[in-house]
Amino acid sequence: MKVFLMFRDHDFVLDEGIPENAQETIQDLELNTLFRAVAGGDDFLLQVAKGAVLASLKNRESILYRQEVLADCLAFPDIARDLYALAVDAIERESRIWGWFALSSPDSLLHRSVEALGLLIGLLERLRKLADEHSSKFRSEGFRWFFGMATQELSDSYLQAVKDHLVRLEFRGGVQMSADLGRDFRGSNYTLHSLEVEALGWFEQVREWVGQITRKDDSGLSFDVDPRDEAGFRALEALRTEGIANVAIALAQSSDHILSFFKALRLELGFYIGCLNLRDKLAAKQEPFCIPNPLPEKDEVLRCQGIYDVCLTLNTAERVVGNDVCGEKKALVVITGANRGGKSTLLRSFGVAQLMMQCGMFVPAREFHANVCQGIFTHFKREEDASMKSGKLDEELSRMNAIVERITPRCVLLLNESFASTNEREGSEIARQIVRALLEKQVKILYVTHMFDLADGFHRQHMESALFLRAERLEDGTRTFRLLEGVPERTSYGEDLFRRIFQAEPESLQPTAQ
Amino acid sequence: MPTNPANRPAPEPRLQSNPPAITPGNETNPDASAFHSILTECQDVDGQSEIQEAPGFFSDLNLDQIVGTITAGREQYDLKPLFYTPLKTVEAVHYRQDVFRDLSGNFRLLELVRSFAERMREMRTLLAISEKRYYKRQKQAAFLDAVETYCNTVTVLKEGLLSTGPASRGFQALRGFLVRYTGSEEFTSLKKETERVRAELAKVRYSLHIHQGRVTVNRTDTEGDYSEEVLRTFEKFRQTDPRSHRFKVPLSIEMNHIEARILDLVSALHSEAFARLDAYCDRYRNYCHQLIARFDREVQFYIAYLEQLEQLKKAALPFCFPGVSSHSKEVQALDTYDVALANQLIHARKDVVKNSFCLNEPERTLVVSGPNQGGKTTFARTFGQLHYLAALGCPVAGISTKLFLFDRLFTHFEKEEDIQNLRGKLEDELIRINEILENATANSILITNESFLSTTMNDALFLSREVMKRIAALDMLCVTVTFLDELASFNETTVSMVSTVNPTDPQQRTFKVIRRPADGLAYAAAIAEKYHLTYEAVKTRVGARESEVNES
C-alpha cells in the first residue's frame, strides 16, 4: 500500500535530496521562521516542511502534481485534516501501548502486537469510510490514486479475516506447543499449535504440595515472595514463552508494516497540512498568496506582483510591503539603494518564493511566474568565522569556492553584499569576474550590493539581460521599502542614520570626495 | 551588547581585612591570618560577587574559546563565572599572581593540589552514588566511603602544605587554616567515629536460604564456594542461543527488592553495628567544611589556567606576569599572540606568529590596516585578550608586558543581520557604537573591527571619522581594525599598524603586524586566484561539469 501524494511514482523520504548547501540556505533566507509557521508548533511538521522545501523538485511536471494535490487540500481542508488526524492517531495510540515492556519477553510482545493490530485495523476501517464518503469530490491525480487504493486494498472481507486472527491469537484457552529434544536434552524447536484447551492450573497445585514436604523450620529470619510478584516467578514462564516467540515476532512485524503505512501517510499529508497552517496564518493577516506558475527552465523569467518576504511578515504585526517586478529574459538582477530600504528583504523574498514554488507550495505574492531552476545557492555576508581559519574576505571566497564547486547551469545564485569585506575597488573586481563567468554559464544571479563601482559597471555596459532595482527613498529621507526599477546611485545615505542615532549634527556633512 | 555588567564601584583594597584568628599556643604561626578564598584576600565584598553571564565582548575576542578550552572537562566546578569576573584593583591582581607563581614554580605544590582535587572528585562521586541509591543501606555504604576519603584528603593536604613551603599569602593562609581545622574537635571526632563504624561493619557475616517463595537469613560462618564447582561441572555444555538473546533483560546495578529485604533481615540480626551506622550518618550529614569545598572549586581556576599554559610552553610560546597599572596608559607587549588561535594552531602542529606593540604618551589608538588575511583581526583580539586576562590576575601571552587595568572593555565587531530586530545592519552598528560611547570612560578600552562595511566607502569614511573624534575626546585606549587607510593618520594619538605580506609572493602571508604608515596595498586578487574564482577559472569549472552532465 503506497501513499504517493508527494510523487506520482515513488515515496517521499524525509531528508532525501537535501542539497549540501542546505544549512547555508536556511540561515541566509531565515527559513526557520517559515518552517516554524508551517509546523504550527508541531515538531514533526517542522521536519516535513524542512525536508520538502529544501529538496526542491527539478521539473515542472512534478511541481504541477503537488500543486493539484495542494489545490484539493485548500478546497477541502477539513477532510485533509481529518485524514491527517487519523494517521497521527494511529501512530500515537500505537506508541502508547506499553511498548517499553514488549521486548522483555515473547509473551508480552505477543500481547502487545495483538493489541496494536486490533487498534490499527480499526483505524484502517475508518480510512476506508473516509474514502467511501469523500473520494468523489477530489480532482487531483494524487488523491484519486490514494482513495482508489484504499477502497481496493481494504475490502470488507479482508478486514474481517484479520479480525478473526486477532481473536484466536489471544490464546484464551492457553498455549499448546510441541518441541524436539535437543542435544543437551533440553527442549528445542518449539512449535505452537492453535488447539484451544482450558488451562489446568496443575502447576500451582504441584508447587504447593512440594513446598509442604520440603519446608523445614530453622532459627533464621525469612519471608515469602508474593505469588502475584511477576518478577519473582518469571523463570516459571520461560517455557511457555519459548513456544510463542516465533508467532510473536511475526505478528510484531505485521503490525510494524501497517504502522509504516500510517507513517508514510502522516509524512506525505503532513506537507499539505503544513501548507494549510501557513495559509491560515497569511489569511489572518490578509496577506496575499497564489499558486505560482512554473515555467520551463530555459525561459529566464522573474515576473511577480506583490511579492513579499513571508518570514518577515510572520515576525511582524503589520502587513509588509509587497513589490512588483517584471523581468523577462533577465539573467541578472542588481539591487541597490538606501540602507534599510528593503533590499535584503526583497532578495530573500525571491529566494523563498522560488523554493516554495519548487516544492509545490503556494507563494507569497499576488502573482508569480518564474522558470524552474536546478538549485538555489545563497552567498550572504556573515559574521567573522569563529574558527579563525581565515580573514573575512578569505571566508567569503571560501564559501564562494564551495558554491562554484556545486553550482550547475540553470541554477539561481543570490548574492547579498558579497565581497564587501575588502575595499570597494577590489571587491567590485572580484565580484565582476565571478558574475560574468557564471552568467555565461546560464546561472541566474540576483545581487544586492552597495558597491557603486560594481553596479554602475554593469549598468554602463547596457546589458540587455540585466534588470536594475533600487530602494525607494523619498526627498525627506523616509524609506518606503518599495523597490523600483532604477539605475545605481552613488551614496547610501549613512548620514541620515548617523544624525538620527547620535542626535547631534556632525561637524562636517559633506561626504569626503574620493 | 558589548557592555560589562561588572561596572560597579570598585571595592577599597583591604590590606588587613580581618583580625587574624589565632588559636591558643599558636601565636608564633606565620600563617595565622584568616583564610577566606584562594582567589581573593578580602572576605566577599559585594562588588566582587561572581558574574554568571559571559560579558558581551567574549565571543568577539574569542575569549569564549579560551575559557571553553580552559574549563573543558571541569564543568562540575562551574568555573566560567570566575572567568567572567575581572578584578578591579591592582592589589587583587597581585594576590592572584602570587598564587600563580607558587603553583607554577613549585612542582610539588602543584602535584599536591592536583591530587587533592582528584580525591575530592572521588568523594563527590561517592556522594552522588549515595544520593542516587534507592535503598537506605546502600546510600549509607557510599556515604561512609565518602567521609573516609574526605578525612584522608584533608590530612594529606595539610601535611603537604607544611612540607612544601608556599610563598604566596593565599597558600600560607590556607595552611594556617588547615592546621587549626585538623586539630579541632570537629575534625578529630569525625575521623575517629568513621574508623570505628567501619571496623564493626567489617565483622558482620550471615547465611541466606531461598526455597520456592521463601527466603531465610541467619547468622553463620561460610563453607566452600559451591557455585564455582557447579560452573566448572557444566562448563562443557555452554553455548549461545541468538534467538533467546533477543529477550534478555539486562541486570540492574541497583539492588532489587528481594536483596533489599534480605539486607533488612541481616541488619536486624546485627542491630548494634547498624544502629551506630544510622546515628553516624545522621550526625555527620554536613561533614565537609565550607572553606575546603570552596578552595576545592576555586583552586581549579589556577590549575585549569596553568594546564593551558603547559600546552603553550610545549610549543615554545612565551608567557609572563604582566605589570598592571590603573593609572598609566602606556602599554606594551613583546612577542605576544592570540591564545585561542594558538590553541588551534598547536593542535594542527602549525607555527604561531608573534607580534609586538606599544603605546607611549600621548598615544591612545592603534589603527590596524593592510592586506586581508594578514592577521589584523587576530592582532586586535590579542590586545583585548591580554588586557582581559591580566585583569583576571592571570599570566599572559608574550614577554615584558605592561598593561592597563581598565574599568570596562568594549568591542564593536560586525554582527550578522538579525531579522528579529528589523533594523538595517548599518543602523544596528551605529546604535551599538553610540551605546558604547555613552557608557565608556577615560579608563575604558575599545576594540573595533571593520565597522561600517555595509555602506559605500564615502559613507564609511565619514562615519569612522565622526566616531574617531569622539573616541579621541574620551581619551580611552582603543584598537581599530579598518580598510580605510585614511584613519591611520587621524591625529597625534593614533599609531598606524600594518599587516604585511611577503613582497616576492603576495599570496604568502606573514601574519606580522608592524608599526609603520599605511601603504594602501591589498592583495585581494591574489586571494581570488588562490580559490580559483577568477573569470577564467569559474568558467572552466562550471563548464567542465556541464559536459559531465551532458555525457551522462
Side-chain angles (χ1 to χ4, degrees):
Chain A
M1 300 216 307
K2 294 289 188 184
V3 177
F4 287 169
L5 286 173
M6 290 292 272
F7 295 100
R8 176 180 284 113
D9 51 5
H10 61 275
D11 290 336
F12 173 64
V13 180
L14 205 55
D15 299 332
E16 199 173 84
I18 308 275
E20 287 171 79
N21 59 324
Q23 270 319 313
E24 264 149 18
T25 312
I26 292 172
Q27 186 178 355
D28 291 341
L29 298 180
E30 311 265 3
L31 289 177
N32 281 327
T33 307
L34 174 68
F35 298 153
R36 277 196 297 274
V38 169
D42 182 327
D43 279 346
F44 177 76
L45 289 181
L46 188 87
Q47 296 310 314
V48 178
K50 213 168 162 179
V53 170
L54 293 172
S56 291
L57 300 171
K58 301 291 167 61
N59 60 67
R60 290 184 70 225
E61 291 66 34
S62 50
I63 294 173
L64 295 175
Y65 183 81
R66 285 193 199 169
Q67 285 186 350
E68 276 186 25
V69 175
L70 176 60
D72 271 340
C73 290
L74 292 173
F76 305 105
D78 294 345
I79 302 171
R81 286 188 189 278
D82 281 353
L83 197 54
Y84 182 70
L86 187 65
V88 173
D89 204 23
I91 293 155
E92 283 183 354
R93 281 168 63 190
E94 200 275 347
S95 72
R96 279 202 297 268
I97 307 174
W98 41 291
W100 57 273
F101 193 61
L103 283 178
S104 64
S105 82
D107 205 28
S108 49
L109 182 67
L110 179 76
H111 280 111
R112 188 198 187 283
S113 303
V114 168
E115 190 174 347
L117 276 169
L119 169 80
L120 293 173
I121 291 299
L123 290 160
L124 285 174
E125 276 184 304
R126 271 171 59 192
L127 174 63
R128 239 292 297 289
K129 215 167 138 238
L130 266 174
D132 291 350
E133 279 173 28
H134 300 298
S135 62
S136 61
K137 298 174 194 160
F138 285 71
R139 292 281 161 265
S140 63
E141 190 188 342
F143 268 114
R144 286 205 316 269
W145 146 268
F146 177 79
F147 284 131
M149 180 263 326
T151 317
Q152 195 184 326
E153 303 280 344
L154 304 174
S155 66
D156 290 342
S157 60
Y158 172 76
L159 291 171
Q160 188 53 50
V162 173
K163 281 192 253 179
D164 289 347
H165 278 299
L166 291 181
V167 172
R168 274 202 292 279
L169 282 165
E170 283 180 27
F171 296 116
R172 292 230 170 108
V175 170
Q176 174 79 27
M177 58 189 178
S178 64
D180 297 338
L181 207 54
R183 275 173 61 88
D184 58 355
F185 285 2
R186 292 182 64 207
S188 70
N189 294 329
Y190 289 100
T191 314
L192 187 71
H193 299 290
S194 65
L195 248 179
E196 286 164 24
V197 184
E198 197 66 36
L200 294 172
W202 56 269
F203 192 86
E204 284 75 15
Q205 290 168 22
V206 172
R207 194 175 67 103
E208 187 57 29
W209 171 68
V210 173
Q212 276 163 10
I213 57 169
T214 56
R215 185 173 302 158
K216 45 180 194 187
D217 204 36
D218 59 31
S219 57
L221 301 170
S222 55
F223 63 90
D224 290 309
V225 178
D226 190 319
R228 287 165 303 181
D229 179 355
E230 194 185 334
F233 289 93
R234 193 166 296 143
L236 307 180
E237 283 289 296
L239 273 177
R240 198 178 84 87
T241 53
E242 185 77 12
I244 60 167
N246 284 336
V247 73
I249 290 167
L251 211 57
Q253 282 166 353
S254 309
S255 105
D256 286 349
H257 288 318
I258 299 178
L259 189 64
S260 66
F261 166 78
F262 279 113
K263 282 181 174 161
L265 179 59
R266 178 172 69 152
L267 180 64
E268 302 209 358
L269 203 52
F271 169 73
Y272 299 100
I273 298 303
C275 293
L276 290 177
N277 288 345
L278 182 62
R279 192 265 298 262
D280 293 348
K281 288 203 175 68
L282 295 180
K285 279 189 73 177
Q286 294 179 321
E287 291 283 19
F289 58 89
C290 67
I291 302 279
N293 177 18
L295 297 165
E297 61 175 40
K298 297 210 159 114
D299 279 10
E300 293 192 328
V301 169
L302 181 53
R303 183 153 46 82
C304 51
Q305 287 192 7
I307 191 171
Y308 60 94
D309 184 352
V310 69
C311 303
L312 184 62
T313 201
L314 291 167
N315 273 329
T316 46
E318 287 83 41
R319 287 188 53 187
V320 297
V321 176
N323 276 292
D324 301 341
V325 175
C326 183
E328 300 275 0
K329 301 270 166 228
K330 298 295 183 195
L332 173 67
V333 181
V334 179
I335 307 169
T336 60
N339 280 304
R340 289 203 55 197
K343 300 190 299 296
S344 301
T345 304
L346 180 65
L347 188 68
R348 272 195 290 267
S349 309
F350 283 137
V352 174
Q354 186 83 30
L355 276 172
M356 288 172 77
M357 178 179 87
Q358 293 208 211
C359 72
M361 277 192 187
F362 49 77
V363 299
R366 288 196 309 278
E367 212 182 282
F368 188 80
H369 311 264
N371 56 295
V372 174
C373 70
Q374 288 301 305
I376 295 174
F377 292 83
T378 55
H379 189 267
F380 280 40
K381 218 166 121 184
R382 288 281 169 76
E383 224 171 319
E384 196 92 3
D385 176 19
S387 70
M388 293 177 296
K389 269 188 233 113
S390 48
K392 255 186 229 172
L393 179 63
D394 218 36
E395 185 271 337
E396 283 198 87
L397 285 164
S398 161
R399 273 191 288 132
M400 182 57 80
N401 183 26
I403 289 172
V404 170
E405 197 59 42
R406 294 172 193 151
I407 205 164
T408 61
R410 306 297 173 195
C411 281
V412 175
L413 174 60
L414 307 179
L415 298 161
N416 194 2
E417 295 193 15
S418 299
F419 310 118
S421 63
T422 181
N423 66 55
E424 197 170 325
R425 186 174 48 84
E426 283 169 342
S428 297
E429 183 53 30
I430 293 174
R432 205 166 8 240
Q433 298 212 9
I434 294 169
V435 168
R436 244 178 74 209
L438 291 176
L439 286 175
E440 286 180 29
K441 288 295 167 191
Q442 283 103 37
V443 174
K444 196 197 249 184
I445 294 176
L446 288 80
Y447 201 151
V448 166
T449 183
H450 274 105
M451 294 191 287
F452 175 76
D453 192 26
L454 175 71
D456 194 49
F458 289 126
H459 177 241
R460 270 177 300 162
Q461 288 173 26
H462 299 292
M463 274 174 55
E464 290 285 310
S465 60
L467 174 67
F468 293 92
L469 300 175
R470 202 175 67 218
E472 186 180 41
R473 176 178 183 271
L474 303 180
E475 285 299 308
D476 60 358
T478 27
R479 278 86 164 150
T480 62
F481 301 109
R482 206 176 288 284
L483 284 104
L484 306 173
E485 280 195 40
V487 298
E489 286 180 342
R490 187 167 273 281
T491 175
S492 286
Y493 314 104
E495 287 178 33
D496 294 352
L497 280 171
F498 182 83
R499 257 176 290 172
R500 214 187 68 225
I501 291 162
F502 278 70
Q503 291 175 336
E505 289 294 307
E507 286 158 42
S508 68
L509 285 175
Q510 302 305 316
T512 319
Q514 273 304 108
Chain B
M1 274 289 190
T3 52
N4 179 351
N7 188 28
R8 301 189 187 118
E12 289 299 311
R14 296 189 193 177
L15 293 179
Q16 198 68 40
S17 56
N18 284 43
I22 297 169
T23 47
N26 217 6
E27 284 85 352
T28 53
N29 189 340
D31 305 337
S33 66
F35 174 76
H36 303 292
S37 158
I38 198 72
L39 288 176
T40 166
E41 189 162 33
C42 321
Q43 200 152 16
D44 279 350
V45 182
D46 284 343
Q48 281 295 343
S49 58
E50 288 169 21
I51 294 163
Q52 295 301 322
E53 289 286 316
F57 53 77
F58 244 56
S59 62
D60 288 343
L61 297 180
N62 286 342
L63 281 164
D64 53 348
Q65 293 181 29
I66 297 175
V67 170
T69 308
I70 292 172
T71 57
R74 291 185 157 81
E75 288 71 18
Q76 55 180 317
Y77 294 109
D78 184 27
L79 292 179
K80 285 188 173 168
L82 303 179
F83 286 96
Y84 296 157
T85 315
L87 301 170
K88 294 295 171 198
T89 67
V90 173
E91 184 58 31
V93 169
H94 286 160
Y95 183 82
R96 287 196 191 172
Q97 286 188 351
D98 288 345
V99 172
F100 266 120
R101 282 198 181 88
D102 252 353
L103 285 168
S104 59
N106 185 339
F107 183 70
R108 280 178 56 211
L109 179 64
L110 182 63
E111 278 310 299
L112 178 69
V113 173
R114 278 197 178 134
S115 103
F116 165 79
E118 179 66 34
R119 302 303 311 277
M120 289 294 276
R121 272 196 295 276
E122 280 169 27
M123 179 198 87
R124 277 194 304 277
T125 308
L126 289 166
L127 282 182
I129 289 172
S130 171
E131 276 301 308
K132 267 198 328 220
R133 291 286 183 252
Y134 178 73
Y135 294 108
K136 178 179 136 198
R137 295 298 180 199
Q138 269 196 306
K139 283 176 183 294
Q140 289 176 333
F143 178 80
L144 185 62
D145 276 350
V147 181
E148 272 180 341
T149 307
Y150 172 77
C151 291
N152 291 336
T153 306
V154 170
T155 310
V156 169
L157 181 65
K158 181 204 71 176
E159 297 296 335
L161 283 176
L162 285 173
S163 68
T164 50
S168 64
R169 280 168 290 164
F171 271 116
Q172 286 179 355
L174 173 69
R175 180 175 62 189
F177 160 74
L178 281 173
V179 167
R180 291 192 298 277
Y181 173 60
T182 52
S184 69
E185 164 66 19
E186 179 190 353
F187 185 79
T188 49
S189 75
L190 173 70
K191 201 168 176 216
K192 226 179 272 167
E193 187 62 15
T194 305
E195 284 159 5
R196 191 159 167 192
V197 168
R198 172 65 77 197
E200 287 198 18
L201 287 173
K203 282 186 270 178
V204 171
R205 297 183 77 82
Y206 67 93
S207 76
L208 193 61
H209 185 231
I210 300 165
H211 182 69
Q212 290 168 16
R214 169 156 291 222
V215 179
T216 307
V217 178
N218 213 342
R219 281 174 181 268
T220 188
D221 298 319
T222 47
E223 295 114 36
D225 191 339
Y226 179 66
S227 70
E228 277 186 14
E229 196 184 316
V230 172
L231 279 176
R232 265 200 310 279
T233 313
F234 292 99
E235 178 67 28
K236 59 184 156 193
F237 296 114
R238 223 181 90 176
Q239 45 187 305
T240 52
D241 182 358
R243 195 154 52 88
S244 69
H245 187 73
R246 238 182 106 101
F247 293 106
K248 279 250 168 72
V249 192
L251 282 174
S252 170
I253 53 159
E254 197 67 50
M255 220 180 227
N256 66 36
H257 60 299
I258 304 290
E259 292 171 279
R261 287 186 70 180
I262 291 167
L263 186 54
D264 282 345
L265 300 188
V266 173
S267 64
L269 292 169
H270 297 270
S271 54
E272 317 89 68
F274 281 92
R276 186 178 281 281
L277 178 65
D278 285 339
Y280 168 88
C281 291
D282 192 46
R283 180 167 165 204
Y284 295 108
R285 205 176 311 126
N286 301 312
Y287 65 89
C288 186
H289 195 288
Q290 173 233 328
L291 283 182
I292 298 222
R294 182 170 175 183
F295 170 77
D296 179 40
R297 171 183 176 231
E298 291 182 341
V299 79
Q300 288 298 320
F301 171 86
Y302 298 99
I303 302 293
Y305 197 85
L306 286 173
E307 254 169 42
Q308 181 194 235
L309 285 194
E310 205 53 39
Q311 297 301 312
L312 301 172
K313 212 179 194 174
K314 274 187 201 150
L317 290 171
F319 53 89
C320 64
F321 288 98
V324 173
S325 167
S326 57
H327 50 271
S328 166
K329 288 180 194 166
E330 292 205 335
V331 298
Q332 72 166 41
L334 303 179
D335 285 350
T336 185
Y337 49 90
D338 178 339
V339 174
L341 182 60
N343 283 336
Q344 291 184 10
L345 291 174
I346 289 170
H347 196 67
R349 296 174 190 283
K350 288 187 182 151
D351 285 341
V352 177
V353 174
K354 287 161 271 187
N355 279 301
S356 303
F357 64 81
C358 73
L359 286 172
N360 301 313
E361 284 298 334
E363 295 158 356
R364 293 288 182 266
T365 301
L366 292 167
V367 177
V368 189
S369 61
N372 279 302
Q373 272 281 57
K376 299 195 297 286
T377 303
T378 299
F379 177 85
R381 281 195 185 114
T382 307
F383 188 91
Q385 287 172 11
L386 282 177
H387 279 92
Y388 187 77
L389 294 174
L392 289 178
C394 296
V396 297
I399 51 179
S400 135
T401 47
K402 275 197 317 191
L403 301 170
F404 180 68
L405 189 61
F406 55 86
D407 62 354
R408 299 183 67 180
L409 178 61
F410 298 95
T411 58
H412 188 256
F413 278 45
E414 200 183 7
K415 290 267 185 294
E416 217 161 333
E417 215 161 344
D418 178 4
I419 198 173
Q420 300 291 347
N421 76 9
L422 303 174
R423 295 195 306 221
K425 187 175 269 182
L426 181 64
E427 180 176 10
D428 188 60
E429 287 189 351
L430 281 167
I431 287 172
R432 283 193 292 130
I433 193 82
N434 187 35
E435 273 170 9
I436 290 171
L437 292 174
E438 277 178 1
N439 288 302
T441 73
N443 292 327
S444 302
I445 291 178
L446 169 62
I447 294 166
T448 77
N449 189 28
E450 300 189 354
S451 305
F452 314 132
L453 278 177
S454 62
T455 184
T456 60
M457 271 181 82
N458 284 345
D459 263 2
L461 199 52
F462 162 79
L463 296 170
S464 301
R465 284 191 164 134
E466 291 296 329
V467 170
M468 287 280 278
K469 267 181 227 161
R470 285 160 174 77
I471 291 170
L474 275 169
D475 194 37
M476 67 204 285
L477 288 176
C478 175
V479 177
T480 294
V481 173
T482 181
F483 280 105
L484 302 166
D485 294 338
E486 290 86 344
L487 298 182
S489 50
F490 185 74
N491 66 18
E492 74 286 353
T493 68
T494 48
V495 172
S496 175
M497 305 282 290
V498 179
S499 61
T500 55
V501 291
N502 185 338
T504 57
D505 174 9
Q507 274 183 254
Q508 181 74 44
R509 295 172 300 267
T510 66
F511 300 112
K512 277 278 181 195
V513 177
I514 59 173
R515 184 166 175 150
R516 76 161 190 232
D519 55 14
L521 281 176
Y523 294 81
I527 291 179
E529 180 88 39
K530 177 182 145 194
Y531 285 102
H532 314 294
L533 289 173
T534 59
Y535 169 74
E536 289 299 333
V538 171
K539 256 191 94 168
T540 320
R541 292 171 71 189
V542 180
R545 208 164 28 256
E546 188 179 23
S547 59
E548 273 171 36
V549 173
N550 289 344
E551 277 164 30
S552 65

